[in-house]
Amino acid sequence: MRQLGELEAEIMDRLWSWGRPATAREVLNDLNKQRHLAYSTVKTVADILHGKGMLARDKDGRAWRYRPTCTRQQYTAARMQDALQGSPDMAGVMASFVEQISPSEVEALRAALRDAKRRSTS
């Protein structure tokens, strides 16, 4: 899964955070609290995200309501998987990753591995 551009990430972040479908106008109004963007810019990027399969959309009157096709966690996991598959030394990459993360992140990883093991043996 491809890394998102800056505006793509901002749009996805809002939709993930809100947990509900939204129009490009709603996203624009929120984005414009930090910086000024044109409606057409936000609409175009939302349409690009739809074309990439990141957003689904449903007609609501004359507007589209956009919703993510995956969770933030699923997107992040796919990016991590891409990084691992892009390396000829997957074990080395994982070892380097674990060396760089905090103790609380190590514990979260251990918990995820325990949960995955339980699910696979059930």
Side-chain angles (χ1 to χ4, degrees):
M1 187 168 286
R2 180 181 158 283
Q3 183 172 344
L4 298 172
E6 182 183 344
L7 185 53
E8 290 174 326
E10 288 184 55
I11 290 170
M12 292 303 299
D13 182 57
R14 276 152 180 84
L15 292 171
W16 280 323
S17 297
W18 293 343
R20 62 170 175 79
T23 63
R25 177 73 57 198
E26 291 173 294
V27 174
L28 172 70
N29 290 341
D30 197 60
L31 288 169
N32 277 343
K33 292 175 185 175
Q34 278 91 33
R35 62 181 175 145
H36 181 73
L37 292 167
Y39 171 78
S40 59
T41 301
V42 174
K43 177 74 172 86
T44 297
V45 174
D47 288 340
I48 289 168
L49 287 166
H50 174 259
K52 292 178 179 180
M54 291 292 299
L55 294 178
R57 65 184 184 188
D58 299 302
K59 200 74 163 150
D60 184 8
R62 293 179 53 205
W64 291 104
R65 284 207 175 271
Y66 296 92
R67 65 184 186 289
T69 58
C70 65
T71 66
R72 184 189 316 262
Q73 292 80 4
Q74 290 167 328
Y75 171 75
T76 303
R79 295 277 301 132
M80 293 167 68
Q81 184 67 31
D82 287 347
L84 286 173
Q85 289 177 345
S87 172
D89 182 12
M90 192 180 299
V93 170
M94 285 191 261
S96 293
F97 173 74
V98 170
E99 289 170 2
Q100 296 176 33
I101 62 178
S102 71
S104 64
E105 292 166 329
V106 169
E107 187 47 44
L109 179 58
R110 284 187 179 125
L113 290 169
R114 283 190 300 272
D115 290 346
K117 185 176 182 179
R118 266 185 255 150
R119 283 192 305 271
S120 69
T121 60
S122 301

